[in-house]
Amino acid sequence: SKFQKLEIKHMNLAASVQLYFEKAVDKLIKHAIQITGFKKLCIAGGAALNCKSNGNLINSKIAEKIYVPPFPNDTGCSYGSAMALFSQEHSSNTLVKSSLLGPSFSNDNIKADLDLLQIKAEYVQEIEDVAANHVSNGKLVGWFQNRMEVGPRALGARSILGDPRDPNIKKRINSKIKFREDFRPFAPSVLQNKSSEYFDLPQESPFMSFTANVLQPSLLPGITHVDGTARVQTVEKGTCYGNFLEAMEQYTSHPVVLNTSFNYMGQPIVCTPKEAIYTFYGTGLDCLCIGNWLVKK
């Protein structure tokens, strides 16, 4: 039943299914490497959304490097087919390096919607700095920037941001915004060049595809799961989201943030400015950074 209470028997079943799934994946990958001789691995399909299994593959060192596209579900089959044809006609493959492939909205577009809804907003040139200031002071921030992410993860374009140092941040988000099950963890974003200081992850993870052990769980309780791991997103410097994380480092000494999708339970991730504004006012978010506009309640 959808509303049945989760008991230890359900948790044991889930853990056992996960264990045998990981064993099956392990055998499949070893077999694929054996028959092809290739040590660099690309995983797609819905199974590639299992970031715990992906993290275990990295730790096992079965492959030299693992790539998971930002849309690891059945839609990836069409992308794989296109890439297979492309590789036959060109000497090199081109991996998807960015998840920001969706629609974008200019500051003028956003202002028109704010005016239409009669919402007061302040234009802020250094929006990344202002957002980091609010997050470091315990605020829950709606973050709407650039083109929307493709795939199921919020990756710093349509995100809700919080302070990962706050041990109560999970309960605050669940009670004010997400209204979802307590067992679901929240994920961190970290600057790529500082990732190894916080997480045991030997490669980049731009699409939040792998779990890794948190090296300082007492420092980052907001994003540390009960098993001591986190589903990590690594972010390059020089991007809008990277600039925000650099500002977080200025305010907190740590270029890490709690990043969850900009929506509430049962709704898709917001895409348009109107959707972001409605979700902002319909949840317990403290402020909204939408383009260069700052909206407060």
Side-chain angles (χ1 to χ4, degrees):
S1 170
K2 180 180 178 182
F3 302 102
Q4 186 178 357
K5 182 180 178 182
L6 286 172
E7 300 174 359
I8 191 69
K9 63 181 180 181
H10 303 111
M11 300 175 192
N12 289 339
L13 176 61
S16 297
V17 171
Q18 176 70 26
L19 176 64
Y20 278 91
F21 174 83
E22 290 171 7
K23 287 183 176 182
V25 169
D26 185 88
K27 288 183 178 180
L28 184 64
I29 298 304
K30 284 180 177 177
H31 179 65
I33 290 175
Q34 184 179 14
I35 63 176
T36 63
F38 293 125
K39 287 290 188 76
K40 292 184 178 178
L41 181 65
C42 175
I43 312 176
L49 282 170
N50 194 317
C51 50
K52 186 175 185 300
S53 174
N54 296 345
N56 288 342
L57 283 174
I58 288 180
N59 291 334
S60 69
K61 296 182 170 57
I62 293 174
E64 290 177 2
K65 194 171 183 180
I66 301 174
Y67 172 80
V68 181
F71 34 73
N73 50 37
D74 290 344
T75 62
C77 297
S78 54
Y79 166 70
S81 300
M83 287 306 301
L85 181 62
F86 182 87
S87 64
Q88 292 174 12
E89 299 180 356
H90 300 79
S91 59
S92 64
N93 291 333
T94 303
L95 297 174
V96 173
K97 297 292 181 66
S98 173
S99 65
L100 306 183
L101 303 175
S104 64
F105 302 87
S106 68
N107 280 319
D108 288 342
N109 294 148
I110 295 166
K111 186 62 165 63
D113 283 338
L114 290 168
D115 289 345
L116 181 67
L117 298 170
Q118 297 184 337
I119 293 168
K120 292 182 180 179
E122 177 188 356
Y123 184 88
V124 179
Q125 188 66 42
E126 303 295 334
I127 196 70
E128 302 96 336
D129 185 82
V130 168
N133 190 1
H134 283 301
V135 171
S136 65
N137 283 308
K139 303 295 185 184
L140 294 174
V141 175
W143 179 253
F144 183 107
Q145 304 293 333
N146 300 320
R147 299 180 69 171
M148 186 182 181
E149 307 93 334
V150 66
R153 313 282 194 215
L155 299 169
R158 305 289 188 276
S159 295
I160 291 171
L161 307 177
D163 191 340
R165 303 170 302 166
D166 180 358
N168 298 314
I169 193 83
K170 297 179 199 175
K171 288 184 178 178
R172 288 176 58 208
I173 294 175
N174 272 336
S175 63
K176 288 186 170 186
I177 301 163
K178 289 290 188 171
F179 316 115
R180 70 184 196 178
E181 303 93 337
D182 288 337
F183 66 80
R184 294 199 192 191
F186 289 103
S189 299
V190 61
L191 278 180
Q192 170 66 44
N193 64 327
K194 298 291 181 71
S195 173
S196 61
E197 297 178 21
Y198 301 93
F199 306 103
D200 182 19
L201 184 64
Q203 67 167 66
E204 69 277 6
S205 177
F207 310 132
M208 209 177 271
S209 306
F210 309 97
T211 58
N213 289 324
V214 181
L215 300 179
Q216 304 177 67
S218 60
L219 174 67
L220 303 170
I223 52 83
T224 303
H225 194 36
V226 65
D227 63 357
T229 67
R231 187 183 70 203
V232 183
Q233 178 198 6
T234 56
V235 181
E236 291 185 0
K237 294 177 69 173
T239 61
C240 177
Y241 197 34
N243 293 339
F244 163 80
L245 288 169
E246 287 193 276
M248 280 294 292
E249 186 173 27
Q250 293 295 316
Y251 285 108
T252 70
S253 301
H254 307 290
V256 188
V257 71
L258 182 153
N259 166 21
T260 188
S261 56
F262 196 164
N263 66 310
Y264 51 88
M265 192 173 77
Q267 296 297 315
I269 300 174
V270 301
C271 174
T272 67
K274 282 194 184 77
E275 290 169 357
I277 294 163
Y278 293 149
T279 302
F280 171 62
Y281 281 105
T283 60
L285 285 169
D286 297 303
C287 57
L288 172 63
C289 295
I290 180 165
N292 284 96
W293 300 100
L294 174 66
V295 184
K296 296 180 181 178
K297 288 179 180 170

